Amino acid sequence: MDKATKTGMNRTGMQMAPVQGPMQVKFALDQGPSPGGMQAAVAQRTAAIVSAGQLGSVPVPATGKGVLTTVAGKLTGRNPEVLIDKLGQRAAYERSGVRLYEAMLVKVEADRDDRNTGLRTDLIKIRDEEEAHFHMLVDIIEKLGADPTAQTPGADASAMASLGLVQVLTDPRTSISQGLEALLTAELTDHASWELLTELAERQGHDDLAAQSREAEAAEARHTTIIRQWLREFVARDAT
């Protein structure tokens, strides 16, 4: 399976159309700016933002423990729903992370290159750790009296943001190095998000949660380093 970057019949550049290219530029210039220009577009988007509702909500606690947690937080001036939202977001992201690594493993298996044995081992280990993080988060959310199956606003936003990563990794045309670039993007976001969750847990007095989050944060830092190293190796392979 040869997915190396090569010269081919790429006709997306204007240099491939020396006559039609300048004609297209001239046509665009002749049309002038759209009515109202950029200000009209900004005004339209602003109006849509003002009139739009929220991107979902954190569900009302369905358990007595959840109600007590919410009330206790409100009495101390905190918003526990923000923590629940971020926990739900991390759970959804870790679950998606498992799927990303599963897709990458398929790509590596299809390559049938003996040099990929180490990569496969690392991918399996990271996938298993991502799954462990998911189960840990489910347990934490349940202990707080919330519903780990609920799609919180943060989880919804993360799902939309990660759609492109899923498309890269499941596209049969993409190479291993391109897949590794997608995984690196995911890991950088994952690490930063765990860092934020740790800080939030500390602010709201959840010391046990902060400790667990800090361990996950360290694991994600290792994941980032591993994926970055493999990406460098595969790009070097492609370049030789």
Side-chain angles (χ1 to χ4, degrees):
M1 183 185 70
D2 188 4
K3 299 288 185 179
T5 303
K6 296 180 178 179
T7 302
M9 291 304 295
N10 184 334
R11 299 182 179 180
T12 58
M14 291 183 63
Q15 291 182 1
M16 294 296 291
V19 176
Q20 292 87 350
M23 290 173 60
Q24 185 179 30
V25 173
K26 183 178 183 303
F27 176 80
L29 293 174
D30 290 344
Q31 302 312 301
S34 58
M38 183 59 69
Q39 291 182 344
V42 170
Q44 188 176 22
R45 291 179 184 176
T46 301
I49 292 170
V50 171
S51 63
Q54 294 176 313
L55 184 64
S57 61
V58 174
V60 175
T63 65
K65 186 174 184 179
V67 172
L68 290 174
T69 299
T70 300
V71 171
K74 294 295 185 183
L75 290 175
T76 56
R78 299 192 298 264
N79 291 321
E81 57 264 37
V82 175
L83 179 60
I84 297 300
D85 179 35
K86 291 302 178 186
L87 285 168
Q89 182 183 41
R90 296 268 31 81
Y93 200 89
E94 297 300 314
R95 183 176 62 243
S96 296
V98 173
R99 294 168 180 164
L100 291 178
Y101 278 94
E102 289 285 2
M104 188 64 185
L105 280 164
V106 172
K107 202 173 283 292
V108 171
E109 291 291 347
D111 193 44
R112 298 180 180 178
D113 189 329
D114 293 339
R115 294 175 297 175
N116 297 344
T117 302
L119 172 61
R120 183 179 180 278
T121 300
D122 284 342
L123 291 174
I124 291 174
K125 183 177 180 181
I126 294 175
R127 178 203 60 191
D128 292 347
E129 289 183 355
E130 299 287 0
E131 184 177 357
H133 290 165
F134 168 72
H135 291 297
M136 178 188 76
L137 286 159
V138 168
D139 183 59
I140 291 171
I141 293 170
E142 288 179 338
K143 286 181 179 178
L144 290 173
D147 185 353
T149 66
Q151 181 88 344
T152 68
D156 204 358
S158 285
M160 289 189 289
S162 62
L163 279 176
L165 301 178
V166 174
Q167 291 174 343
V168 170
L169 284 160
T170 56
D171 190 325
R173 300 168 300 175
T174 55
S175 65
I176 290 179
S177 60
Q178 290 163 342
L180 287 167
E181 285 181 347
L183 287 180
L184 182 57
T185 299
E187 289 296 350
L188 288 168
T189 299
D190 208 6
H191 178 260
S193 297
W194 277 108
E195 187 177 39
L196 179 62
L197 181 61
T198 300
E199 294 174 0
L200 182 60
E202 290 173 342
R203 287 198 190 103
Q204 296 201 355
H206 296 281
D207 295 336
D208 290 343
L209 168 56
Q212 290 174 290
S213 182
R214 203 173 291 110
E215 289 181 5
E217 182 184 333
E220 297 302 341
R222 292 195 302 273
H223 297 174
T224 302
T225 299
I226 292 169
I227 296 301
R228 182 183 285 116
Q229 289 173 342
W230 277 114
L231 175 58
R232 285 173 175 164
E233 178 171 331
F234 272 83
V235 170
R237 286 188 198 176
D238 292 344
T240 57

